[in-house]
Amino acid sequence: MSELAPAASDPAAPAATVEESVRAIIATSLGRPLDEVHLDSALMNDLGAESLDLLDIVFCIEREFAIEITRGEMERVARGDMTDEEFAPGGLISEAGLARLRQLMPEAAHRIAAGLRAREILSLFTVQTFANMVHGKREGRQV
Amino acid sequence: MIDPSDAPAFLAWLQARRSTRVFTDAPVPRAVLARLIEAAISAPSNTNRQPWRFAVVRAPALRTRIAEAVRAKADEIKAIIARGHHAEDYGSYGDFFHEPLANATAIIVPQYRSYPDLIANFIASGGGDPAQYATASAMQAELCSTCAAVMTLLTQAHAEGLGACWMAGPMIARDEIQRTLGIEAPWQMVGAVALGYPATASAAPPRKPIDRVATWFEDDTHE
Ligand SMILES: Cc1cc2nc3c(=O)[nH]c(=O)nc-3n(C[C@H](O)[C@H](O)[C@H](O)COP(=O)(O)O)c2cc1C
């Protein structure tokens, strides 16, 4: 993971490098062999991450790419700029919320179905979701 | 003695132990605390070194001083974290540093010390290089032993109907607590245990299922 650092923090680095560094960070954090960590692996469901593991990963990614990722941004990755009330009235994600999720997290589309609750969103996060956050940050987009 | 046929019930009893963070004002009798220490020292230890000590604090002013020292440090780091972009993630963690201590009616501060690595010295005495071998120090065996003692203490507390919370949080005020309790090198505190009679029942935090934490080797085909 550390030998990828120089390339990864170079904004001109190819996209694959970001994906590969994020995979490596996640594999190391969760103590999983790299070949078990795929871009479409869901961190919680497939890789057994707990919410504290996600925080560990966020801290590693921040250091690796010299970026900052707030909790609000992680939530926005999933729900865009919809209000809580539009997105998940009473905690249950609305039809519009589900549609927004599928659009923003196509990598997790197959897990996005009626009945999903707002607090379960983190369970949708895949390796690709984290890589996308890094790309967004490095392109100066608000993620 | 527990009859082996009661083992499943014993397991259920172990599983019902909770970290308790809110206590009534009922004091814990000295005799009960003494039994907790008896339980603690029944733990196994490397070469039976018994590398542990326990400060048992019932005195109210001293308890307050310890809890306040921890709260002051917790406030200090909370202010630092508030300046960063993870303040929201930090959320209520700060409360876990001192709150159980603040309303505990007894606090036990376990301590451990390390010893020279006996086996390493034996190896060296035969002209060997101890660095070539992983020995007890590679697993911080004295720290492990003291943690085993703390676990038996928590188990006895459970049997006594006490609530307890073993806490790493108080480490932020380590220097002040060690000074207050006269803990000096080579002794080092291993967190603190807040104790008292539970005021409320707490829900059981989930456990990772055993298939995620245990690897079984039952036949030799993996070789
Ligand atoms: C070494 C250690 C340190 C801990 N530190 C704290 C702490 O600082 N504050 C706290 O409230 N709980 C602390 N705990 C308690 C854990 O949060 C608790 O054991 C865990 O959530 C599981 O809950 P249970 O003990 O009720 O099964 C600690 C536990 C251990 C073993």
Side-chain angles (χ1 to χ4, degrees):
Chain A
M1 155 180 139
S2 54
E3 71 268 25
L4 291 173
S9 43
D10 167 8
T17 315
V18 170
E19 265 76 21
E20 286 318 298
S21 313
V22 169
R23 266 182 72 210
I25 286 172
I26 290 172
T28 309
S29 256
L30 300 177
R32 293 282 190 142
L34 190 59
D35 59 12
E36 282 180 16
V37 178
H38 309 288
L39 288 177
D40 62 356
S41 307
L43 270 76
M44 295 178 116
N45 290 344
D46 299 335
L47 301 176
E50 310 275 330
S51 57
L52 286 183
D53 295 321
L54 295 188
L55 258 181
D56 293 338
I57 290 165
V58 166
F59 278 115
C60 281
I61 290 178
E62 290 187 331
R63 250 175 244 131
E64 176 91 0
F65 297 98
I67 57 175
E68 292 185 354
I69 301 171
T70 65
R71 188 190 185 88
E73 284 168 331
M74 295 207 19
E75 283 169 12
R76 268 201 303 281
V77 161
R79 68 174 177 158
D81 43 21
M82 292 174 90
T83 63
D84 283 348
E85 202 37 45
E86 287 172 298
F87 181 72
L92 193 67
I93 301 175
S94 62
E95 263 313 310
L98 293 171
R100 177 62 58 91
L101 272 180
R102 285 188 199 101
Q103 186 190 353
L104 291 172
M105 301 177 75
E107 68 277 5
H110 58 291
R111 290 200 176 81
I112 301 172
L116 193 68
R117 306 195 67 85
R119 64 177 153 71
E120 291 165 336
I121 285 182
L122 281 184
S123 71
L124 296 174
F125 276 54
T126 63
V127 176
Q128 186 69 57
T129 312
F130 279 98
N132 290 349
M133 273 194 282
V134 175
H135 286 306
K137 280 278 167 179
R138 298 169 76 207
E139 287 158 16
R141 263 191 284 126
Q142 224 211 353
V143 295
Chain B
M1 292 301 128
I2 292 173
D3 189 274
S5 66
D6 290 331
F10 180 75
L11 173 60
W13 178 82
L14 279 180
Q15 288 169 328
R17 180 207 53 78
R18 288 282 70 74
S19 290
T20 303
R21 301 181 175 84
V22 189
F23 308 97
T24 69
D25 332 333
V28 187
R30 185 185 164 116
V32 171
L33 292 169
R35 265 198 306 270
L36 300 194
I37 304 300
E38 288 286 355
I41 67 174
S42 76
S45 63
N46 54 315
T47 57
N48 200 20
R49 283 275 201 182
Q50 306 172 59
W52 45 56
R53 297 191 58 156
F54 305 88
V56 185
V57 188
R58 296 174 75 219
L62 203 49
R63 279 192 279 108
T64 305
R65 194 158 140 202
I66 293 169
E68 282 303 308
V70 176
R71 193 184 51 79
K73 285 283 184 190
D75 287 349
E76 197 177 308
I77 64 170
K78 189 169 184 172
I80 296 171
I81 294 164
R83 296 200 286 269
H85 63 287
H86 280 297
E88 212 185 330
D89 292 314
Y90 185 64
S92 58
Y93 277 116
D95 301 337
F96 289 99
F97 282 90
H98 62 92
E99 278 194 347
L101 288 182
N103 68 98
T105 50
I107 297 173
I108 294 182
V109 179
Q111 303 142 51
Y112 87 105
R113 60 155 293 182
S114 44
Y115 283 92
D117 193 326
L118 201 60
I119 304 302
N121 284 340
F122 275 127
I123 294 171
S125 74
D129 174 9
Q132 300 297 312
Y133 301 89
T135 48
S137 61
M139 61 174 280
Q140 296 186 268
E142 293 88 358
L143 176 58
C144 293
S145 303
T146 302
C147 293
V150 175
M151 189 61 228
T152 51
L153 182 154
L154 295 178
T155 307
Q156 182 69 25
H158 181 34
E160 304 275 359
L162 281 169
C165 188
W166 184 13
M167 305 170 64
M171 293 304 286
I172 48 169
R174 180 190 60 193
D175 296 352
E176 168 133 26
I177 294 173
Q178 294 195 154
R179 221 178 305 117
T180 304
L181 299 176
I183 299 171
E184 286 175 8
W187 296 97
Q188 299 182 58
M189 64 183 271
V190 189
V193 182
L195 287 156
Y197 290 95
T200 51
S202 10
R207 290 305 197 257
K208 297 175 185 176
I210 64 169
D211 62 1
R212 273 189 42 212
V213 298
T215 310
W216 300 73
F217 299 90
E218 294 201 273
D219 55 47
D220 289 319
T221 52
H222 62 276
E223 285 190 17

